[in-house]
């Protein structure tokens, strides 16, 4: 992936099926029986599993609103306990519940609350003991075992003791405990997780009747149970998700002080792809209870959805409250897998198993880790564990597909997603993963059909909606082929852009074939999007990604130069970068880690053209000086979970320096040996040892020594790292400040001396305030053309994106009589903006003056493709260049085009006579 140096504006397209509160479809004010279709063998729902925590162990007792004074103005013996519980003062809540329970007061609410407050911090065994103690002190005549059966079952469920949990849920239901309806939901969830889908769905379906009977006003816990049941049923009827919104909103209204229903509703919106609506609900819950483990995990999930690096920290904060929250451990494992930190991922998943040995999510992450490691036996063991627990658990394969996608194994993602859908035809998440990854491997028509089926089942999926919309746009693109590439471009841009893109792509292919000794699968498909939002959707399904290009192997996508403001990026180096990915991904069979793939791509850019590739900036050197750059053991963190603004760009540059160092000190064969190691399934420490003869920590020290040696003087010139310190006069910042002050005062010579000194201490700086660029501008203003040209040559050799600097250099070279150098500067400007009419006109005239007719004809074709004001003249000029270059057939066709537009065009008529009189052209 090629990264832009500036973040893109985030857009928020909404599908027509966006989840919003609205009049009910199923929940009514009067009894209404909804017939449930016959259950399929498997009904998978990641959403329902995510909301399965909706009545989680961290929340106050379900139904406590009706057991106390209800919503608003709560009073009664347990009011203080409930308030402490809801606000996260769990120690005080435990004490208050315990005091009441031991005295036999407020039974069974006090006992249930005591257990749940203990469970909020992971003290599940203590909670079970508390229930036993409370049962022994229950008032005479109370059926303590029945009334506490559900609470006991939920604790046993959290510990993975499923048979015991099921027995307790059934006891609560059959004994008609006060929380029997909530036990029905818990039993349904447990049965669903164990593959007994038909019985589970029947239980969930019963909640529609329960709500519609309306014999009494339902409490918060009961309304939450209704909402959760509807999320399971929503896989069949997506309208029921709207009703789930209503149920959760009523739960909030029933007890505004309870954070739980806000978390439920936030998770529902998030799982239905509406992060915007989810955010405030989760924040409101955390405002009520900042330590709420489930709310913190919900916020972490939202951060992951938004691509924020806060996800890791938030999940860890959830575990500070409840170190045994298995879903948080599994979530952390997924984050580590996406960082390609397989060891840490597996360690987190196994920590989850210490609490719940049958956790489906934990075993799923272990299976994914084994797959990434290439351990077939461990993968089979983890997969079989999951499927023995739940034979219809399609989310296993959905997760595997997602991890495969995030680690660039797109063919694996297709196969895993296909298995998810085969296991459960109603796994809409599996179907969406299948369709999106079919597109990533280039199977557009099949992928479109899959996504259409997915969207029919889940009309809230914004990624699918956006992608289907994009495919409609893509169908209107123009296809341009070269020997080893197929480009898809907007018709408005294809004529001019393809002239340069096809030639550059073929050059890149030849250069990299020679460099890597490998041919990726061809033809390579390149989709060039005229709108950044479209490229972003193609990449991740949403608008707002900050990248410029992406490689799925032999399927590439990138921004057109017209998708960004002029001079925003160098599209030529971006194309080269993505073609490099096609080679390294293919060479390693998609096993190359992110940092190496990006480092080599940037280095390949540098080999292609002077000035191409990431540049060093003061922020990178400051991060190096302040020891904020990650070690090589955690290199991918800089790409995927940046710790500070700008770290992603720094990661690209650091990776390129590592690859540059390896190639410089050991030769490119060492790089090829690394690629071969990854292809053979080795992990990074083994690759480094086998290919480079060192260890990863030693290589890290070597890289830091290399950076120190290369940038030592510049690092010293950065000055005092202390925040707010005034830069010294000899520091880079101090010299720039002195130059600016001298310029404002009209002391140009003094300013130029300061700029010269600043360039000496930081000669590689290529920012738009680079001292060498300002020097060039001042020298040009003073009429010192030769020194000005030298300054612009230096700057454009560093900065690949500054369009105006390239034009200024061309002006200076031409003024100095260096016509060839002027044309070269203009040629380089094409890689920044190929749609600039004056640029092509200048080049065309320059090549004509030099009698370089093939180049002149190329520029005349480009001008013609850009819809010039006088198309007849443009056709004529093309005909003239082709005629002078010996292409009589092409010249004849072009001049006839001119005459078709302007039949009396005398110059064109004369040229046509000349061509007919000399059919073979000049000799």
């Amino acid at each position: 992936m090629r990264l832009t140096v500036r973040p893109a504006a985030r857009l928020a397209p909404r599908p027509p099926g966006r989840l919003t509160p609205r009049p009910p479809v199923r929940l009514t004010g009067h009894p209404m029986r909804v017939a449930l279709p016959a259950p399929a063998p498997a009904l998978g729902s990641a959403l329902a599993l995510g909301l399965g925590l909706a009545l989680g162990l961290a929340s106050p007792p379900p139904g406590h609103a009706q057991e106390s004074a209800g919503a608003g103005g709560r009073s009664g013996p347990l009011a203080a306990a409930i308030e402490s519980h809801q606000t996260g003062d769990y120690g005080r809540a435990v004490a208050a519940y315990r005091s009441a329970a031991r005295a036999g007061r407020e039974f069974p609410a006090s006992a249930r609350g005591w257990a749940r407050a203990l469970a909020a911090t992971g003290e599940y065994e203590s909670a079970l003991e508390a229930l036993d103690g409370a049962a022994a002190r229950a008032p005479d005549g109370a059926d303590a075992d029945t009334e506490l059966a559900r609470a006991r079952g939920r604790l046993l469920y959290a510990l993975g003791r499923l048979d015991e949990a099921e027995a307790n849920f059934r006891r609560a239901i059959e004994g008609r405990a006060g929380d029997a309806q909530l036990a029905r939901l818990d039993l349904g969830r447990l049965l669903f997780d164990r593959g007994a889908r038909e019985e589970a769905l029947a239980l969930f379906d019963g909640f529609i009747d329960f709500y519609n009977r309306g014999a009494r006003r339902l409490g918060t816990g009961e309304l939450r149970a209704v909402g959760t049941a509807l999320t399971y049923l929503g896989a069949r009827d997506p309208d029921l998700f709207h009703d789930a919104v209503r149920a959760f909103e009523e739960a909030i209204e029933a007890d505004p002080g309870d954070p739980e229903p806000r978390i439920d509703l936030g998770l529902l919106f998030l799982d239905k792809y509406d992060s915007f609506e989810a955010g405030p609900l989760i924040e409101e819950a955390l405002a009520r209870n900042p330590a709420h483990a489930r709310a913190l995990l919900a916020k972490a999930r939202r951060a992951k959805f938004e691509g924020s690096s806060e996800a890791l920290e938030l999940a860890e904060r959830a575990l500070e409250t409840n170190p045994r929250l298995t879903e948080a451990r599994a979530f952390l494992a997924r984050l580590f897998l996406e960082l390609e930190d397989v060891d840490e991922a597996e360690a987190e998943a196994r920590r989850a198993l210490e609490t719940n040995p049958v956790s489906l999510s934990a075993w799923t992450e272990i299976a994914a880790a084994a797959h990434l490691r290439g351990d077939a036996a461990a993968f089979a063991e983890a997969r079989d564990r999951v499927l023995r627990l739940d034979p219809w658990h399609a989310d296993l394969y959905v997760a595997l597909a997602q991890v495969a996608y995030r680690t660039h194994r797109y063919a694996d993602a297709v196969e895993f997603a296909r298995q998810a859908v085969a296991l459960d035809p109603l796994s809409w998440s599996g179907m969406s993963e299948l369709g999106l990854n079919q597109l990533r491997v280039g199977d557009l028509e099949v992928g479109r059909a899959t996504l259409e089926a997915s969207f029919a089942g889940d009309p809230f999926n914004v990624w699918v909606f956006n992608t289907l919309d994009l495919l409609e746009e893509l169908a209107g693109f123009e296809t341009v082929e070269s020997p080893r590439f197929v480009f898809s471009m907007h018709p408005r841009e294809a004529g001019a852009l393809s002239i340069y893109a096809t030639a550059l792509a073929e050059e890149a292919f030849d250069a990299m074939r020679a460099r890597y000794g490998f041919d990726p699968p061809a033809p390579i498909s390149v989709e060039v999007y005229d709108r950044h939002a479209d490229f972003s959707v193609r990449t991740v399904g949403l608008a707002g990604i900050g990248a410029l290009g992406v490689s799925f192997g032999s399927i590439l996508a990138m921004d057109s130069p017209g998708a960004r403001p002029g001079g925003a990026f160098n599209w030529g180096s971006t194309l080269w970068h993505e073609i490099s990915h096609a080679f390294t991904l293919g060479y390693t069979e998609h096993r190359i880690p992110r940092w190496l793939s990006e480092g080599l791509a940037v280095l390949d850019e540098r080999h292609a053209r002077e000035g191409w590739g990431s540049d060093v900036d003061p922020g990178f050197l400051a991060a190096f000086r302040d020891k904020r750059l990650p070690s090589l053991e955690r290199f991918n963190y800089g790409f995927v979970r940046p710790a500070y603004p700008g770290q992603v760009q720094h990661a690209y540059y650091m990776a390129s320096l590592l690859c540059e160092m390896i190639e410089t000190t050991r030769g490119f064969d060492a790089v090829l040996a690394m690629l071969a190691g990854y292809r053979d399934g080795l992990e990074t420490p083994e690759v480094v040892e086998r290919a480079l003869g060192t260890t990863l920590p030693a290589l890290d020290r070597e890289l830091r020594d290399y950076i120190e040696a290369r940038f030592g003087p510049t690092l010293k010139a950065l000055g005092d790292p202390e925040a707010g310190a005034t830069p010294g006069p000899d520091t880079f910042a101090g010299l720039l400040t002195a130059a600016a002050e001298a310029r404002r005062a009209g002391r140009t010579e003094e300013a130029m001396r300061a700029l010269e000194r600043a360039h000496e201490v930081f000669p590689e700086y290529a920012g738009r305030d680079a001292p060498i660029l300002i020097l060039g501008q001042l020298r040009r203003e003073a009429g010192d053309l030769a020194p000005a040209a030298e300054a612009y040559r230096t700057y454009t050799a560093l900065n690949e994106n500054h369009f105006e600097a390239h034009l200024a250099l061309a002006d200076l070279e031409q003024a100095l009589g260096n016509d060839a150098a002027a044309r070269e500067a203009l040629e380089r400007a094409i890689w920044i903006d190929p749609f600039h009419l004056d640029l092509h006109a200048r080049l065309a005239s320059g090549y004509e003056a030099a009698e370089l007719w093939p180049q002149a004809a190329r520029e005349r074709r480009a001008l013609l493709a850009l819809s010039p004001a006088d198309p007849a003249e443009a056709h004529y000029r093309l005909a003239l260049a082709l005629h002078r270059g010996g292409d009589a057939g092409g010249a004849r066709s072009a001049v006839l085009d001119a005459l078709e537009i302007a039949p009396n065009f005398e110059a064109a008529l004369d040229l046509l006579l000349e061509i007919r009189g000399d059919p073979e052209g000049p000799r």
Side-chain angles (χ1 to χ4, degrees), residues 67-238:
E67 291 172 345
S68 59
R74 177 179 287 116
S75 61
L78 293 183
I82 293 170
E83 179 68 15
S84 296
H85 197 159
Q86 290 186 351
T87 56
D89 191 346
Y90 296 119
R92 181 170 293 182
V94 166
Y97 285 129
R98 179 178 57 217
S99 176
R102 284 179 172 173
R105 298 193 308 270
E106 297 299 315
F107 184 86
S110 58
R112 295 172 184 164
W114 183 11
R116 295 173 73 90
L118 285 167
T121 55
E123 299 175 70
Y124 303 141
E125 291 84 358
S126 297
L128 285 169
E129 293 174 5
L131 291 174
D132 291 340
R137 294 173 173 82
D140 292 340
D143 186 352
D145 287 341
T146 297
E147 290 298 332
L148 300 183
R150 177 192 178 247
R152 186 175 289 108
R154 291 182 61 77
L155 292 164
L156 293 165
Y157 196 177
L159 292 168
R161 294 159 61 179
L162 303 186
D163 290 338
E164 296 172 81
E166 180 177 344
N168 275 275
F169 294 147
R170 291 190 184 278
R171 178 166 188 167
I173 296 166
E174 292 162 5
R176 306 187 69 174
D179 55 1
Q181 287 297 333
L182 307 186
R184 289 182 191 278
L185 178 76
D186 294 324
L187 178 60
R189 288 180 52 228
L190 186 148
L191 294 171
F192 194 95
D193 285 351
R194 302 186 83 172
R197 301 294 166 88
E198 186 171 351
E199 186 177 355
L201 290 169
L203 287 168
F204 296 142
D205 186 39
F207 279 88
I208 296 174
D209 285 342
F210 174 63
Y211 179 92
N212 286 336
R213 278 196 298 267
R216 60 175 172 79
R217 182 179 179 182
L218 301 185
T220 301
E222 292 165 327
L223 288 164
R224 292 176 57 219
V226 170
T228 301
L230 289 168
T231 64
Y232 280 86
L233 297 171
R236 295 199 161 198
D237 181 355

Side-chain angles (χ1 to χ4, degrees), residues 225-313:
V226 170
T228 301
L230 289 168
T231 64
Y232 280 86
L233 297 171
R236 295 199 161 198
D237 181 355
D239 278 337
L240 291 176
F241 289 117
H242 294 287
D243 297 318
V245 170
R246 176 180 174 179
F248 289 137
E249 287 185 331
E250 290 182 9
I252 292 171
E253 184 180 356
D255 187 354
D258 188 351
E260 298 294 339
R262 285 181 167 80
I263 304 169
D264 298 337
L265 185 53
L267 282 171
L268 174 56
F269 277 119
L270 185 60
D271 286 330
K272 292 289 100 181
Y273 317 97
D274 195 342
S275 174
F276 179 80
E277 294 287 348
L281 289 159
I282 295 168
E283 292 300 332
E284 288 167 11
L286 286 169
R288 176 72 168 153
N289 181 353
H292 198 300
R294 196 166 71 96
L296 288 166
L297 180 56
K299 187 172 181 179
R301 292 185 187 280
R302 181 172 183 263
K304 182 178 184 293
F305 183 95
E306 295 286 330
S308 168
S309 60
E310 293 181 344
L312 201 66
E313 177 191 350

Side-chain angles (χ1 to χ4, degrees), residues 610-743:
E610 189 176 49
W612 283 13
S614 299
D615 307 305
V616 65
D617 62 34
F620 173 82
L621 294 178
F624 174 78
R625 176 199 63 197
D626 300 339
K627 298 180 172 53
R628 287 184 289 137
L629 299 178
S631 66
L632 295 189
E633 290 93 334
R634 297 171 68 87
F635 209 168
N636 273 343
Y637 284 61
F639 291 97
V640 184
R641 304 287 171 199
Y644 60 86
Q647 187 175 23
V648 176
Q649 289 88 348
H650 296 167
Y652 274 76
Y653 187 69
M654 184 177 176
S656 74
L657 289 179
L658 175 60
C659 295
E660 176 185 280
M661 180 192 78
I662 293 170
E663 183 173 7
T664 301
T665 60
R666 294 170 172 84
F668 195 68
D669 283 347
V671 173
L672 296 178
M674 293 181 72
L675 298 179
Y678 285 114
R679 182 192 61 212
D680 294 343
L682 301 181
E683 295 187 46
T684 295
E686 300 168 295
V687 168
V688 168
E689 185 171 347
R690 188 176 88 171
L692 305 182
T694 188
T695 64
L696 198 56
L699 185 65
D700 184 72
R701 291 191 295 272
E702 186 180 343
L703 174 61
R704 291 171 198 279
D705 289 345
Y706 181 81
I707 295 172
E708 183 76 46
R710 176 164 172 176
F711 298 109
T714 303
L715 284 164
K716 292 178 182 177
L718 290 181
D720 190 345
E722 184 179 343
T726 302
D730 293 326
T731 65
F732 181 65
L735 289 165
L736 288 181
T737 300
E741 291 174 351
R743 288 183 70 190

Side-chain angles (χ1 to χ4, degrees), residues 312 316 329-349 351 365-366 368-370 372-373 403 406-407 409 593-595 630-638 640-641 683-685 696:
L312 201 66
E316 288 170 344
R329 294 285 179 197
F331 178 76
L332 266 181
R334 175 64 60 83
L335 294 181
F336 285 125
L337 285 175
E338 293 178 358
L339 290 164
E340 299 177 41
D341 191 343
V342 179
D343 291 340
E344 192 59 40
E346 182 169 354
E348 281 295 344
R351 290 184 189 106
E365 302 307 328
I366 289 171
L372 291 187
R373 195 179 273 127
V403 171
R406 291 301 297 263
T407 53
R409 304 182 186 192
R594 172 83 180 270
W595 61 265
S631 66
L632 295 189
E633 290 93 334
R634 297 171 68 87
F635 209 168
N636 273 343
Y637 284 61
V640 184
R641 304 287 171 199
E683 295 187 46
T684 295
L696 198 56

Side-chain angles (χ1 to χ4, degrees), residues 240-479:
L240 291 176
F241 289 117
H242 294 287
D243 297 318
V245 170
R246 176 180 174 179
F248 289 137
E249 287 185 331
E250 290 182 9
I252 292 171
E253 184 180 356
D255 187 354
D258 188 351
E260 298 294 339
R262 285 181 167 80
I263 304 169
D264 298 337
L265 185 53
L267 282 171
L268 174 56
F269 277 119
L270 185 60
D271 286 330
K272 292 289 100 181
Y273 317 97
D274 195 342
S275 174
F276 179 80
E277 294 287 348
L281 289 159
I282 295 168
E283 292 300 332
E284 288 167 11
L286 286 169
R288 176 72 168 153
N289 181 353
H292 198 300
R294 196 166 71 96
L296 288 166
L297 180 56
K299 187 172 181 179
R301 292 185 187 280
R302 181 172 183 263
K304 182 178 184 293
F305 183 95
E306 295 286 330
S308 168
S309 60
E310 293 181 344
L312 201 66
E313 177 191 350
L314 287 164
E316 288 170 344
R317 283 176 55 194
L319 288 166
E320 289 174 8
T321 297
N322 183 353
R324 302 177 73 191
L325 187 59
T326 56
E327 293 304 312
R329 294 285 179 197
F331 178 76
L332 266 181
R334 175 64 60 83
L335 294 181
F336 285 125
L337 285 175
E338 293 178 358
L339 290 164
E340 299 177 41
D341 191 343
V342 179
D343 291 340
E344 192 59 40
E346 182 169 354
E348 281 295 344
R350 292 199 179 277
R351 290 184 189 106
L353 294 179
E354 291 172 7
T355 296
N356 182 353
V358 295
S359 166
L360 290 168
S361 56
W363 279 112
T364 293
E365 302 307 328
I366 289 171
H371 175 68
L372 291 187
R373 195 179 273 127
D375 189 337
F379 172 77
E381 178 192 0
R383 177 201 61 204
D384 292 347
R385 286 258 196 168
V386 171
L387 296 179
R388 279 198 299 271
L389 291 164
D390 176 6
W392 313 113
H393 195 67
D395 284 347
L396 163 69
Y397 291 111
V398 175
L400 289 167
Q402 291 169 343
V403 171
Y405 155 64
R406 291 301 297 263
T407 53
H408 320 298
R409 304 182 186 192
Y410 307 109
D412 288 352
V414 168
E415 183 54 35
F416 284 135
R418 185 174 283 119
Q419 291 182 68
V421 175
L423 198 61
D424 178 1
L426 297 183
S427 174
W428 307 122
S429 57
M431 197 171 291
S432 68
E433 289 294 332
L434 177 58
L436 291 170
N437 283 290
Q438 285 169 332
L439 298 184
R440 289 168 185 140
V441 299
D443 202 346
L444 296 187
E445 289 308 312
V446 173
R448 181 202 298 267
T450 304
L451 290 178
E452 287 172 346
S454 170
F455 193 66
D458 183 4
F460 305 103
N461 192 323
V462 67
W463 293 309
V464 173
F465 173 81
N466 286 345
T467 303
L468 287 171
D469 189 54
L470 173 67
L471 290 173
E472 294 296 324
E473 294 283 334
L474 192 60
F477 274 28
E478 187 172 318
T479 298

